[in-house]
Each structure stands twice: as structure tokens, then as C-alpha cells.
Amino acid sequence: MKSFTFTLERTRRYKEQVLNKEKGILQRLLQRKNEIEEQIRQLEIYRELKALEFQQEQQKGLEPAKLDAYRFYLENVRLQLKQLKIDLKRAEEEAERQRQVVLLASQELSGLDKLEEKQWEEYRYVYAKDNELQLSDHLAVQLSYPNGDRLITKGAV
């Protein structure tokens, strides 16, 4: 009997490659999302430091030019944070869409894995039946010649 081969192995390998590619895309999107979160965190720290510095300078008395400079810094940071939060939301949405793509690709591969397992079970069943039939034939031949007398074929003499 021939050995087991999964009939859709090439398709399975292709789906596995697709899944790995999609996982790589998801990984890059998540990395980008994490980078944006880190930029937000750093910018918020910077904003807090500048605000504290601004308060300390205000208590000492500020010149109008320095007051304008601090206001400019704080407004600029606020606008950057606003844009980064928009970017973060977009990155989260892209990552979620890609997560769904990965999930779908994973389900397709899982379906092929289950089909392969089913074919493997069918192969084992047929193999067992074939062995059973051969054993049964062998026993039938043995029982046909109880004294060890065998049919002599041409060329065996």
C-alpha cells in the first residue's frame, strides 16, 4: 500500500506562508502603535516639565517674550499630542483590521489541518482493513493446507 500523502499539502503550505506574511504585517503595525504610544508618553512628560518650568518662571516674573515662548512651546506640544492621538487611533484601527485578517488566515489553515487529520484517519482505516484482508487471506491459505502441504507451482520443483 502506498504511503500517506495529504492531497492539499501545496495549498496548506501556501496558506501557511500567507498566514506568516499577515502575522509579520500585524507585528509591524503593533510596533508602530507602540512607537506612537511611546512618543505620546515622552511628549506628555516634556509638557509636564515645561508647564512646571513655566509656573516657576511665572512666580519669579516673566518678560513678555519668555511668556510668549512658553505659551508657544505648550501650544506646540498640545498640537503634537493631538496629532499623535489621531495617529494612534488610526494605528489601532489598522492593527485591529490586520488582526482580523490574521484570524481568518489562521482559521483557513486550521481547516486544512483538520482535513489533513481526517484524511490521515481514513488512510489508517483503509490500511488496517488492507492488513486485515491480507491476514485473512493468509489464514485461509494456511487452513486450506492443514498438514503443511502446499500447492506446488511451476518452477518451484
Side-chain angles (χ1 to χ4, degrees):
M1 184 167 191
K2 68 178 187 171
S3 64
F4 174 76
T5 54
F6 180 49
T7 56
L8 296 173
E9 185 60 35
R10 289 180 65 196
T11 303
R12 187 188 175 291
R13 281 195 309 260
Y14 171 75
K15 295 285 185 180
E16 193 169 25
Q17 288 173 349
V18 168
L19 176 61
N20 289 335
K21 181 186 120 209
E22 298 299 339
K23 281 181 177 180
I25 292 170
L26 176 59
Q27 190 64 29
R28 286 189 296 280
L29 289 171
L30 290 174
Q31 182 179 352
R32 175 69 181 134
K33 178 184 152 289
N34 290 339
E35 289 169 358
I36 293 171
E37 288 173 338
E38 180 61 23
Q39 288 175 340
I40 289 172
R41 192 180 71 74
Q42 292 294 329
L43 208 48
E44 286 175 341
I45 291 170
Y46 177 77
R47 179 183 62 183
E48 290 173 17
L49 290 174
K50 278 298 180 187
L52 183 60
E53 186 180 313
F54 176 62
Q55 286 175 346
Q56 290 171 350
E57 289 292 324
Q58 260 185 331
Q59 290 173 356
K60 293 178 187 176
L62 271 176
E63 300 169 6
K66 273 194 164 182
L67 180 64
D68 287 342
Y70 276 110
R71 285 184 181 151
F72 173 76
Y73 280 130
L74 293 173
E75 179 63 15
N76 189 12
V77 168
R78 186 187 71 76
L79 292 174
Q80 286 181 30
L81 280 170
K82 183 179 178 182
Q83 183 58 50
L84 282 172
K85 287 179 181 178
I86 290 169
D87 294 346
L88 178 60
K89 183 169 175 45
R90 189 176 301 129
E92 288 171 341
E93 289 169 353
E94 289 174 0
E96 184 55 36
R97 277 192 300 272
Q98 187 61 27
R99 195 172 280 119
Q100 295 303 317
V101 170
V102 168
L103 180 63
L104 181 61
S106 179
Q107 288 172 343
E108 288 176 3
L109 185 60
S110 177
L112 287 173
D113 288 343
K114 288 177 185 175
L115 183 60
E116 179 180 18
E117 181 61 31
K118 184 176 179 181
Q119 285 184 1
W120 173 242
E121 287 175 17
E122 288 174 8
Y123 171 81
R124 287 191 309 233
Y125 176 78
V126 169
Y127 185 76
K129 283 294 185 184
D130 186 49
N131 282 345
E132 186 180 306
L133 184 61
Q134 287 180 6
L135 181 61
S136 149
D137 288 348
H138 180 72
L139 288 175
V141 167
Q142 291 293 341
L143 292 174
S144 298
Y145 302 101
N147 295 331
D149 297 338
R150 304 252 165 143
L151 188 62
I152 300 176
T153 59
K154 289 184 181 179
V157 183

